Amino acid sequence: MPSNEVMTERELITRREAVFRVTALLGGVALVGGSALLTACGEQRQANPEGPFTAEDIAFLDEVADTILPATSTPGAKAAQTGAFMAMMVNDGYDARDREIFRKGMRTIDDATQKAHNVSFMKATPQQRLAVLEVIDREQKSYSDARREEQRKKSLAWLSDQRQESAPGANAGAATAVTEKPSAHYFRMMKELALLGYFTSEIGYTQAQRYEESPGRYDPCVPYKPGEKSWAPHA
Amino acid sequence: MPKTEYDAIVVGSGISGGWAAKELTEKGLRVLLLERGRNVEHIKDYVNATKGPWEYPHRGGRTKSMEELYPVLKRDYPLNEKNLSFWASDKDSPYTEVKRFDWYRGYQVGGRSLTWGRQSYRWSAFDFEANLRDGIATDWPIRYADLAPWYDHVERHAGISGSHEKLPQLPDGQFQPAMPLNCGEELVAGRLGKLFDGRRHIIPGRVANLTRQLPDRLDCQYRNACWLGCPYGAYFSTQSSTLPAAVKTGRLTLRPLSIVSEVLYDRARKRATGVRVLDAVTEQTIDYHAPVIFLCASTLNSTWLLMRSATDVWPDGLGSSSGELGHNLMDHHFRAGAEGKLEGLDDKYYYGRRPNGFYVPRYRNLFGDKREYLRGFGYQGGAGRDGWSRAVAELGVGAQFKDAMSQPGGWDIGATAFAEMLPNHANQVSLDQTKKDKWGLPVLKIDCATGENERLMRRDMINDMAEMLDQCGVKNVEPFDYGSFPGMGIHEMGTARMGRDPKTSVLNAHNQVWDAPNVFVTDGSCMASSACQNPSLTYMAITARAADFAVNELKRNNL
């Protein structure tokens, strides 16, 4: 089989989303699902050595998601059953490496809570959970930014080659067909799946955002006041 | 010729086949429309059209098992949970890639007219003269003037919304009112108009979505869910537009699940007599006869069918006597451009989900501009405010973060070029006798790549958009090139080109196969060059023109 995978970096994907906002071409979700949902050609699906997610695992993920996206004036992630969604996406969409990173990450969160507050994540108070995840989020953010910057450099180097008069005769393409990437941070995965699961749920569409099934018209320019919710997309 | 049950057989029910069926039946012919895939009934079979987006288990995304089932489809956006049933099975219909070629197929009644991007642009006088002027490949046997009345004809029935711009490189047509630019796009369009000697324009996309009702079709309701099938019939598809017109005549017979295995050819009369159908379910063969055959099975499928036909006369198939059948395969290359952030519009938003964006008509190698490559490109893009997905990359957890991400972010704007690919004899398809599809037919082997001209052009595609955005005051402008492989554009063209000489082309100026004048090929395979405009509107016009000619020739007993 020819080399067939444009391993689009997930950060690039969101930019592509912006560029292709114009059309219904891109089913919004696959974009955010990101590189974990695009694997190398020919990779075999492996049995999950950790077994399926248990009810306890899903309850745990519910609390992680609900700490990221708690109930405010609108319901939180737990009400939108985000934990079960995250578990399903990891099972159905992740490759073995990312599944393992995700599962280990769940234990890491628990260990970090024990260390900081002497209590398991499930038994911790919402404030304790938030404190733990804020620390992990900062760690995730700097890891992901460094990873993104590395990818960006590769991509820009390729582009500048491509943009110069004397560029080598490469095929049109493959700017982002980069070599093996370092894996994503476990909390990046969790955050991404929590956001995806929540904002694409019925609660996310109709309460966290504004949703009109059939708008009936297009107003190209209307006033916007701070605090007004997004109009939800639909592809 | 003995009396037959049908006056014409149309192979394929997508954009071209639907038009052939409509035009031929309306001109009095009894038509058998053959489609290899299942039937999809208008509205009734758009099973996901009114589903809430939250009702999909994976919210529209893809799973590992989907990727295993669709090794080709997974390479880009078509593999998704929402309209998977409108894409052909890679497993049932394999093909051989000498080099990577992404072939995204829609095997059902309506073909890819159900899922197409709907951008609809006329080709211009420059495009039909380009091969002659550049000394590339062979000259088109028709000019813009030959097609202009047929563009008028198909635009009126299909319903194309767009603005009148008086640009010679992108002729105006019979438009419904345009879908307007939003405030971000309007701002940049105004600035761009004052730069580059007024040669570069941002205009509303011309799109086959209604902004005014037509009989039995509502205008667009701005759901932006077109590719699920539209319950209002608001975008052009076979089902919404051409099929009902053909059915209304009472002269149409539609036969789904009918794979045409070959065109039947009478070497004594030098005419096709009909087609052999392989029933996709029973696998039985049935012959159908008619004096006129239209091949509208899609670019590669019509050529594939010709290659399997009349092999007792021509080993390489019907239409191969010139040595050009299967050659000069083209697509558009794209996914290169730039994007950035727009400031100063935080108090502005828009309402409704417009299934369209903006277009930048070609300006390179026109009006005295001269580059080191031939031909050019247009851009398709849009502006809008970021949604919740920006949250993935932002720092934050908790209540404040959640509420902030429930509100729109900043504005961004971006565009990708869609660029012309030169015809090249070396880009070709042939039969792979070592591999068979589910029905035992030898599969197509595709050997196609972009070349030096496309590579040189790609630099401008990236640099020009970055420069335009930058000069229009867009911040954080980032050029991009996501990579483009032939086929990805889903604008595959060529392999049975029209021409002036039977020694160098497969079809004549009326889309008749030189070696069998009652066989017309009017889908993308007939194209002698690719221009940079989306090609479907041109297939419609070419098909309507050829159908008119065919009926007249039939009446004159010339077929």
Side-chain angles (χ1 to χ4, degrees), chain B residues 156-428:
Chain B
R156 283 195 190 99
H157 186 82
I160 311 295
S161 63
S163 57
H164 296 265
E165 304 287 345
K166 296 191 170 62
L167 299 170
Q169 74 273 38
L170 196 76
D172 293 337
Q174 305 298 324
F175 297 143
Q176 296 202 341
M179 290 183 176
L181 300 177
N182 64 36
C183 21
E185 295 160 350
E186 192 70 61
L187 180 75
V188 175
R191 291 174 182 167
L192 182 64
K194 297 189 183 78
L195 300 164
F196 302 101
D197 299 325
R199 292 281 190 210
R200 303 188 189 180
H201 311 272
I202 286 179
I203 67 170
R206 293 173 180 172
V207 68
N209 287 71
L210 302 183
T211 52
R212 293 285 182 270
Q213 297 184 10
L214 286 178
D216 300 320
R217 295 178 61 193
L218 282 185
D219 50 328
C220 181
Q221 300 298 302
Y222 298 94
R223 303 164 72 240
N224 195 19
C226 310
W227 76 340
L228 307 178
C230 182
Y232 307 103
Y235 75 90
F236 171 91
S237 65
T238 295
Q239 277 84 347
S240 72
S241 179
T242 49
L243 188 61
V247 167
K248 205 169 142 190
T249 66
R251 286 185 284 273
L252 182 80
T253 305
L254 169 65
R255 193 183 198 282
L257 299 168
S258 301
I259 298 166
V260 178
S261 58
E262 63 179 292
V263 176
L264 304 169
Y265 181 76
D266 178 347
R267 64 195 303 172
R269 287 184 57 248
K270 297 190 166 118
R271 294 288 187 275
T273 59
V275 299
R276 179 154 297 162
V277 164
L278 179 59
D279 187 293
V281 178
T282 67
E283 302 200 12
Q284 285 177 327
T285 57
I286 314 148
D287 290 351
Y288 291 99
H289 299 280
V292 176
I293 317 283
F294 265 67
L295 302 188
C296 302
S298 81
T299 289
L300 293 177
N301 275 307
S302 287
T303 291
W304 187 26
L305 170 56
L306 286 169
M307 285 176 168
R308 298 191 302 256
S309 304
T311 49
D312 53 333
V313 185
W314 300 278
D316 294 327
L318 184 62
S320 67
S321 61
S322 62
E324 293 297 335
L325 182 67
H327 291 270
N328 311 295
L329 175 59
M330 299 166 283
D331 184 24
H332 288 141
H333 61 111
F334 68 130
R335 291 161 50 101
E339 53 94 37
K341 303 272 170 210
L342 262 173
E343 291 179 351
L345 290 171
D346 288 348
D347 60 343
K348 297 283 192 288
Y349 206 13
Y350 39 82
Y351 175 76
R353 297 182 294 274
R354 183 190 54 181
N356 191 22
F358 67 70
Y359 191 69
V360 178
R362 179 181 157 190
Y363 50 86
R364 284 300 185 196
N365 288 321
L366 292 171
F367 316 118
D369 179 76
K370 184 79 191 85
R371 307 299 291 172
E372 68 275 37
Y373 54 85
L374 299 171
R375 317 287 167 95
F377 50 87
Y379 286 101
Q380 294 176 28
R385 294 190 78 151
D386 288 328
W388 61 264
S389 64
R390 72 187 187 280
V392 176
E394 287 189 19
L395 186 71
V397 291
Q400 237 185 330
F401 176 71
K402 173 188 165 227
D403 284 346
M405 293 307 140
S406 300
Q407 297 165 23
W411 282 80
D412 42 35
I413 184 166
T416 171
F418 277 78
E420 180 153 6
M421 178 174 167
L422 291 179
N424 175 355
H425 182 83
N427 286 330
Q428 59 168 313

